[in-house]
Amino acid sequence: MSAFLKFTLAVDWISAQLGKVASWAVLAASVISAGNAVIRYGLDISNNAWLEIQWYLFAATVMLGAPIVLKLNEHVRVDIIYGKLKRNGPVYVDLFGLVFFLLPVMGLLFWLTFPFFLNMLRTGEMSGNIGGLIRWPAALMMPLGFGAMFLQGVAEIIKRIAYLRGLIEMDTHYEKPVQ
């Protein structure tokens, strides 16, 4: 089990690094958006590349930030039953969701988006807008994000099994979000 737990540490570290990239992408998108608005409405100058880079950065924020959200246990869940469970109940619900929902969906989405990204990279597809950007960097965010979520899901499964076997401590306390 120790090799599996080392794997979880590596995946957690990768997710943390991707989370840092995502947080910088938020800052960059905000600065670019504000600058673009000032230039566009103040100077009446526009460039489609500046508009497109904003949604590229948004894609990076969402796709690269999702694994760290899962690692931190801050992801969205339907808590009709979850919040009422005691002891190991939430851990079993997490395991069920990770095994039967997260992993199959992330695996399928990775499998579908990786060839899509490769095709864009190979063809050098460009935006149809004048002054638009190449599209493969935005397409790369999909398989990268889905793959990272898949790996983080595997790491979370390992951690929950290790917790149930008494090998690690985990905070299983769930606090219902403020509505």
Side-chain angles (χ1 to χ4, degrees):
M1 191 70 175
S2 67
F4 289 120
L5 291 174
K6 286 180 183 177
F7 169 79
T8 66
L9 291 174
V11 172
D12 287 350
W13 182 84
I14 291 168
S15 292
Q17 301 314 303
L18 292 175
K20 288 177 186 176
V21 172
S23 65
W24 282 105
V26 170
L27 177 63
S30 300
V31 169
I32 290 169
S33 178
N36 194 34
V38 168
I39 291 170
R40 189 173 196 173
Y41 295 109
L43 303 174
D44 200 28
I45 300 171
S46 182
N47 184 331
N48 286 328
W50 289 108
L51 297 172
E52 289 183 9
I53 196 69
Q54 290 175 63
W55 68 264
Y56 281 33
L57 291 167
F58 180 71
T61 299
V62 172
M63 299 306 292
L64 303 181
I68 192 69
V69 172
L70 179 62
K71 178 203 173 293
L72 297 173
N73 204 26
E74 295 292 329
H75 54 287
V76 175
R77 58 170 51 95
V78 180
D79 62 353
I80 297 169
I81 299 170
Y82 193 89
K84 296 176 179 146
L85 297 173
K86 303 294 181 224
R87 296 200 296 293
N88 291 338
V91 178
Y92 286 113
V93 170
D94 285 346
L95 277 170
F96 180 80
L98 290 165
V99 170
F100 292 104
F101 294 105
L102 184 88
L103 290 187
V105 170
M106 292 301 111
L108 176 65
L109 290 172
F110 176 83
W111 184 71
L112 292 172
T113 59
F114 191 73
F116 177 74
F117 154 70
L118 284 178
N119 185 52
M120 279 194 176
L121 180 63
R122 193 174 22 245
T123 63
E125 184 176 329
M126 298 285 294
S127 167
N129 297 320
I130 295 172
L133 302 172
I134 55 173
R135 291 227 168 133
W136 71 260
L140 172 62
M141 293 302 110
M142 292 185 294
L144 188 59
F146 294 134
M149 273 297 279
F150 185 90
L151 289 176
Q152 189 63 50
V154 170
E156 295 304 315
I157 290 169
I158 292 168
K159 286 188 251 182
R160 280 158 180 79
I161 292 171
Y163 170 77
L164 291 171
R165 295 177 76 191
L167 300 174
I168 64 169
E169 289 294 316
M170 243 175 75
D171 181 16
T172 60
H173 173 72
Y174 173 70
E175 193 171 314
K176 187 175 180 179
V178 178
Q179 301 294 326

